[in-house]
Amino acid sequence: MKNDQQYYMVREDVLSESMQKALEAKSLLDRGKVKTVAEAAEKVGLSRSAFYKYRDGIFPFHTMVKEKIITLSIHLEDRSGALSSLLTVVASQGCNVLTINQTIPLQGRAHITLTIETNMLQGDMKDLLSTLNRMETVERVEVVGTGA
């Protein structure tokens, strides 16, 4: 096994059927709906060997960002209180701001790079990103990196 593994984020529809079933089986086990791997594999129509092949290599996005450090790229309108409002929303979701960098606003917009700790995140990362994107002063939010 390589020590310098690379990770990719892919849409669900490009995953093989076996990978999707492995995720479903893992979910059944995690939620206590089944007790054994054999039971989970049978319930989703997957062989145990395929489950074991994929179980340690495929994860739902929300589990990859829990208890992690996430770096967000945010395009923010240059308005009084915009950054403060953004940080208030991030804090209200249970995230801890580790670093913040802001460019000088040009043409009424600033670029923010925000690194947050998400181990106390209430809900999941998808909800946080959706909440931030709905803010009046936020033009765009993207996840640019994750770390341990």
Side-chain angles (χ1 to χ4, degrees):
M1 186 171 237
K2 297 189 295 185
N3 289 338
D4 57 342
Q5 296 177 358
Q6 293 185 346
Y7 294 88
Y8 302 91
M9 186 176 356
V10 298
R11 281 190 335 264
E12 179 180 30
D13 63 321
V14 298
L15 295 175
S16 70
E17 185 179 347
S18 294
M19 290 177 175
Q20 291 178 20
K21 287 181 177 184
L23 282 168
E24 189 178 343
K26 285 175 64 167
S27 175
L28 291 172
L29 287 162
D30 289 345
R31 293 179 306 159
K33 300 289 184 183
V34 294
K35 301 261 187 242
T36 66
V37 168
E39 194 179 350
E42 183 180 339
K43 190 161 190 142
V44 300
L46 182 69
S47 70
R48 285 186 308 132
S49 63
F51 174 81
Y52 285 116
K53 178 180 180 179
Y54 295 119
R55 77 165 178 187
D56 294 329
I58 188 165
F59 305 93
F61 181 69
H62 68 88
T63 62
M64 293 302 291
V65 298
K66 270 298 197 202
E67 300 180 22
K68 297 275 185 188
I69 296 170
I70 305 296
T71 301
L72 303 173
S73 171
I74 304 166
H75 292 256
L76 193 65
E77 286 183 25
D78 182 26
R79 268 202 246 168
S80 180
L83 181 58
S84 177
S85 296
L86 176 86
L87 295 174
T88 298
V89 168
V90 169
S92 72
Q93 296 290 315
C95 297
N96 181 34
V97 175
L98 300 175
T99 65
I100 183 167
N101 295 303
Q102 178 179 344
T103 62
I104 295 173
L106 297 173
Q107 299 176 343
R109 285 155 186 70
H111 178 255
I112 311 293
T113 303
L114 188 66
T115 303
I116 58 175
E117 186 177 42
T118 61
N119 61 329
M120 299 299 285
L121 179 63
Q122 299 164 4
D124 62 26
M125 193 65 185
K126 185 177 170 183
D127 294 335
L128 174 64
L129 295 174
S130 179
T131 300
L132 293 174
N133 272 310
R134 284 193 309 268
M135 292 181 67
E136 186 178 332
T137 57
V138 172
E139 293 183 358
R140 184 173 72 219
V141 178
E142 297 174 328
V143 176
V144 294
T146 63

